Amino acid sequence: MAAPSQGSDMFDEIVMADDRFHGEGYQEGYAEGSQAGAAEGRRCGGLHGAKIGAEIGSYLGFALTWQRLLPKCTDEKNSKKIRALDSLIGMIQKFPYEDPTYEKLQDDLEKIRGKFKQLVPGQSEMSRGNRGLI
């Protein structure tokens, strides 16, 4: 920057310094905010992913346990239960754990939740001690 020749140039430098500092502060704040936002996004995404993984894991454990416990009878009632359990297990096995950009992730998750609720219609009743299955 050239040396000020007169008082008006010095005044312009003072006025322009405010704009320059504002711009520099904005750039620094933007860079820090971007870094903090990315870190927060990774933390939040990891936490949310862990919750979904735990939920789906509990559904799979439920389905596999009941699949083993139900007798392999040919009666209509157990046959429907076994088909529903097989359907839930198949849905869980096809769930895209490794692809968070999958467009139908939420839809598939809702379908799994719906199938589980179909198998255990009164979840609140189960928590009160009623052991009714399917």
Side-chain angles (χ1 to χ4, degrees):
M1 190 174 239
S5 60
Q6 290 289 317
S8 67
D9 288 339
M10 185 185 301
F11 182 72
D12 287 341
E13 281 185 35
I14 293 172
V15 170
M16 297 306 287
D18 184 45
D19 290 340
R20 189 181 78 224
F21 290 136
H22 177 76
E24 289 173 5
Y26 174 82
Q27 292 298 329
E28 289 175 16
Y30 185 83
E32 282 184 37
S34 294
Q35 288 176 342
E40 178 71 14
R42 279 191 298 275
R43 188 189 64 73
C44 183
L47 181 62
H48 188 65
K51 287 179 182 179
I52 290 174
E55 178 183 0
I56 290 179
S58 68
Y59 296 157
L60 182 60
F62 167 87
L64 291 173
T65 300
W66 277 104
Q67 187 181 45
R68 302 253 180 190
L69 292 175
L70 285 175
K72 298 286 183 185
C73 298
T74 57
D75 68 335
E76 182 80 19
K77 189 176 179 183
N78 280 341
S79 177
K80 285 184 180 180
K81 292 176 186 180
I82 290 171
R83 280 197 309 270
L85 287 169
D86 289 342
S87 174
L88 177 61
I89 292 168
M91 292 168 74
I92 292 171
Q93 289 173 341
K94 291 177 186 174
F95 190 76
Y97 299 101
E98 301 293 323
D99 186 10
T101 61
Y102 177 62
E103 291 180 13
K104 296 182 181 180
L105 185 87
Q106 290 297 324
D107 293 337
D108 288 353
L109 183 58
E110 287 303 316
K111 287 178 185 176
I112 290 170
R113 288 174 176 152
K115 181 60 76 172
F116 179 74
K117 287 178 184 177
Q118 180 184 2
L119 289 165
V120 185
Q123 289 177 339
S124 61
E125 294 170 10
M126 279 185 62
S127 65
R128 286 187 297 230
N130 184 355
R131 302 255 183 227
L133 168 70
I134 307 176

